[in-house]
Amino acid sequence: MPTIKDVAKMAGVSVATVSRVINNSGYVNEVTKKRVEQAISQLNYRPNNVARSLFHGRSQMIALLVPDIMNPFFPELARAVEDFAKLNDYTFVLCNTDDNPEKEMHYIYALEQKSVDGIIVVSSTVTEKSLQGIHVPIVALDRIVSAKLPSITVKNRDGARQAVRYLKQLGCKRIAHICGPDNVSNTKERLGGYIDEVKNEEWFLSSYVVSGDYQYDKAMDATKNLLKSHPEVDGIFVANDLMGVGVLKAAQELGLKVPEDIQIIGFDGISLGEKITPSITTMKQPIYEMGTRAAQLLIQQINEPNQQVQHEEYEVTLVKRESTK
Amino acid sequence: MPTIKDVAKMAGVSVATVSRVINNSGYVNEVTKKRVEQAISQLNYRPNNVARSLFHGRSQMIALLVPDIMNPFFPELARAVEDFAKLNDYTFVLCNTDDNPEKEMHYIYALEQKSVDGIIVVSSTVTEKSLQGIHVPIVALDRIVSAKLPSITVKNRDGARQAVRYLKQLGCKRIAHICGPDNVSNTKERLGGYIDEVKNEEWFLSSYVVSGDYQYDKAMDATKNLLKSHPEVDGIFVANDLMGVGVLKAAQELGLKVPEDIQIIGFDGISLGEKITPSITTMKQPIYEMGTRAAQLLIQQINEPNQQVQHEEYEVTLVKRESTK
DNA sequence: CACCTATATGTAACCCGTTACATATAGTTC
DNA sequence: GAACTATATGTAACGGGTTACATATAGGTG
């Protein structure tokens, strides 16, 4: 790989002049500039970004950490962040953490040491304490990490209440809830919204709440067990769409018709929800907008640190589809 | 952020000694070592990876370029690459290219300039020519880029033939094919396999082949058109599972029962295929194995460049599910 | 003509590690 | 005691850029 020195030598100038040409800074004679440019193209020279990063302490790169790359919700978020990053001349990279605290911190450390300019995290295991000594700007997305980190989330509790109310309105008499892992902030909020709406119903049983861990398989198993022991359940509010697909599968395997025998409403609004049959009614998050906004907040923070910490909450909207009547 | 100098100053030694402690190289007195380690932990010092990368010319990072992060096939591949990378102490990052030649080359350039040690690409637009002047080791995955690049693929033609033969065996009399974008190597191979099996059938029509561009939406539209103009079609071989889901949706929207009225077989073996109802019969690729092997080949190439170029082809296996009888 | 400014270019320090090489001391061997 | 070795540590060059500062020339102003 040619270096700036090679270019300087070939063009018969100093490295400073070459640098000026590359960065379009300072004074450079038009004729000299041409000569340098020719040398650059002849040598097929491209400046070494590592050297640049070392000098500047920044790399024009941002990263997104997601807990589960196989849940389509996160690739959709990633698309948004990526697009916004590209528009702002940042290289975007995606990292998968499995919601594993060690992997998360490993990535955060590794990325900071690589002078990544900022990180967006979807995490439920990162804590304020574990972030001590970390200097990269971080924005939390989808899940709140700490009051000190800017965050982009949705009104989970509110959305959950809407979902349950809608099921009631459709005539459901016994509504169950498949929730996420209990350490995730939005699990608690969505569960809270469900409880708000059912706690005063005389039919409510605490065994109507089961965890599906935000995973397809677990949600399917959990639903089968639930419906076997509680055949009276005629509506399920599922904490995310991926689990919604599992719930659907479980119902179908038990010979139940959706939505005739049992109605299902999910959360997230991933595109998978409308691809399948029956398509899943859901509380849709503005995924693209959220990813974009998180990237925007991050880049703002990179450019001007010590900004006021913002917590933005987006609305969710009910999208009626085939899994409800 | 503290630097090695700060540590050296605090421990009362030279930077060389600190470096020796960090890297466990050369001679360091036990007592000195303790002192240095204490200074490190007190300052919460972590070596700057950019400086290391600059010196060594390598970054212990590899990347995977995929054309469509929203197609679950690629996150599944990514998982495999990531796991293998981690086992070998490489940081792994994922980049999305949209199969857009500019984005692809942009990433390849950006990554090389960041001293990324190697790149695995799933690409149909990168050419041998566009790779001139690129020095990072590259391995092609899922799609062949050039004879000069090591590649990991599957026996697409063979798999396609198996799929079509299976549909015939199940009694299908008119078998159509939804193919991918025509510039993708495996599109041609899968189409080729289909043609092999149907070209001598007296019922075969060239209009039985339509493109779904490897996308859900397009596949759904294409299938609706196909089935409207050719209601006699009773079997479809779909070139990937994501499109398979779209084909399923199209059939259902037209009031056709799967597999009673029409049988569907996909390709890839993504887990989504078994999550939905009816689950999709498919030609399963050993996705995890392929990703792992690609990462392994890449790391081999990083450690010993100028290895012999290898092209490995994996077998695909028929997985019978509900979309066929 | 003296002085000032805009233009043009080069020199060298700097970013932060790594490591070849130099230097120094203690212990061993003959 | 001289010579050698293993241990211990420091100095400075290096990787590939960027940029503050120094220097030089041409043209303009009073």
Side-chain angles (χ1 to χ4, degrees), chain B residues 18 34 41 47 51 76 102 111 134 144 172 203 210 267 277 302:
Chain B
V18 177
K34 284 264 149 54
S41 83
E76 290 190 33
E102 279 162 42
L111 293 168
I134 299 291
I144 289 176
C172 291
W203 50 258
V210 291
F267 205 106
T277 306
I302 291 169

Side-chain angles (χ1 to χ4, degrees), chain B residues 22 28 33 69 115 130 147 158 161 171 173 228 241 289:
Chain B
I22 297 168
V28 183
K33 192 173 167 184
I69 198 186
S115 294
S130 62
D158 202 60
R161 296 188 69 158
K173 300 294 179 207
K228 276 179 198 157
D241 286 344
E289 206 179 333

Side-chain angles (χ1 to χ4, degrees), chain B residues 45 67 82 101 103 120 129-131 133 164-165 177 235 247 249 263 309:
Chain B
Y45 166 77
E82 184 200 355
K103 265 180 100 174
I120 298 175
K129 201 181 158 202
S130 62
L131 253 32
V164 176
R165 255 183 273 136
H177 177 50
V247 170
K249 189 82 183 173
Q263 303 194 64
V309 176

